[in-house]
């Protein structure tokens, strides 16, 4: 199944939302103003240039512990944390500038609550596997899977 088909399926099945991070906008402020869920799931970050959009990163939020509980770092918190050792409020601005993007588009999905839904690691793996099958590589900002 293609990445786009999986995203369509996720849009139908799960709570979801999206936001756009422009030059000089803070992800910290946007996460609050756009009411990003603190639930567990996956997110897809795409780079926007003109009318084109390309996936740059696929990630997950919400680690499931051995006892079935969820280590609390939901989508809202995960989107603000570090990437490559830099908080994302700085990292995202650096990526926008270096890649000469108009903005980043972030789409998120709450895929799991304890005992229900698709665990974040599985949803992320499904998206990464589809991307790998289509592109023969991972998204540019994913270092490994």
């Amino acid at each position: 199944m293609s990445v786009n088909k999986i995203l369509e399926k996720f849009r139908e099945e799960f709570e979801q939302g999206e936001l756009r991070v422009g030059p000089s906008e803070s992800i910290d402020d946007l996460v609050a103003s756009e009411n990003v869920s603190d639930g567990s799931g996956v997110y897809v970050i795409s780079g926007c240039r003109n009318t084109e959009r390309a996936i740059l990163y696929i990630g997950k939020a919400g680690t499931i512990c051995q006892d079935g509980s969820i280590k609390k770092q939901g989508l809202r918190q995960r989107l603000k944390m570090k990437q490559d050792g830099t908080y994302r409020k700085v990292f995202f601005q650096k990526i926008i500038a270096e890649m000469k993007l108009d903005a980043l588009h972030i789409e998120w999905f709450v895929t799991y609550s304890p005992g229900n839904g698709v665990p974040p690691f599985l949803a992320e793996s499904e998206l990464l596997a589809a991307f790998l099958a289509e592109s023969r590589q991972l998204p540019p900002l994913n270092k490994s899977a």
Side-chain angles (χ1 to χ4, degrees):
M1 189 180 306
S2 74
V3 172
N4 286 331
K5 291 279 187 203
I6 294 168
L7 290 172
E8 285 176 24
K9 180 179 81 161
F10 284 6
R11 288 180 193 117
E12 292 173 8
E13 292 179 15
F14 303 118
E15 175 189 349
Q16 60 94 25
E18 57 190 319
L19 56 93
R20 184 178 170 97
V21 182
S24 74
E25 288 185 296
S26 169
I27 186 65
D28 292 6
D29 295 339
L30 291 169
V31 162
S33 67
E34 298 294 324
N35 297 317
V36 173
S37 173
D38 203 30
S40 298
V42 293
Y43 55 96
V44 177
I45 301 172
S46 299
C48 305
R49 187 180 300 121
N50 301 318
T51 59
E52 305 273 325
R53 197 186 304 172
I55 294 174
L56 300 176
Y57 186 81
I58 296 170
K60 70 173 178 64
T63 300
I64 300 174
C65 300
Q66 187 278 327
D67 66 0
S69 66
I70 299 174
K71 192 183 291 185
K72 201 60 181 159
Q73 187 182 85
L75 289 158
R76 183 182 315 139
Q77 188 64 28
R78 182 69 192 112
L79 287 173
K80 299 186 301 184
M81 296 310 291
K82 290 183 178 182
Q83 187 160 346
D84 285 347
T86 304
Y87 281 104
R88 284 184 163 162
K89 66 183 173 185
V90 174
F91 181 80
F92 286 165
Q93 293 308 310
K94 179 181 166 194
I95 292 300
I96 290 170
E98 286 178 359
M99 298 181 88
K100 296 178 176 49
L101 300 171
D102 299 327
L104 295 176
H105 176 268
I106 302 172
E107 188 169 16
W108 53 266
F109 303 89
V110 177
T111 64
Y112 186 77
S113 59
N116 293 312
V118 177
F121 65 82
L122 187 56
E124 179 192 39
S125 294
E126 185 176 9
L127 286 166
L128 287 170
F131 192 96
L132 183 61
E134 290 172 16
S135 305
R136 299 189 167 269
Q137 61 186 8
L138 295 175
L141 300 179
N142 283 90
K143 289 185 174 183
S144 61

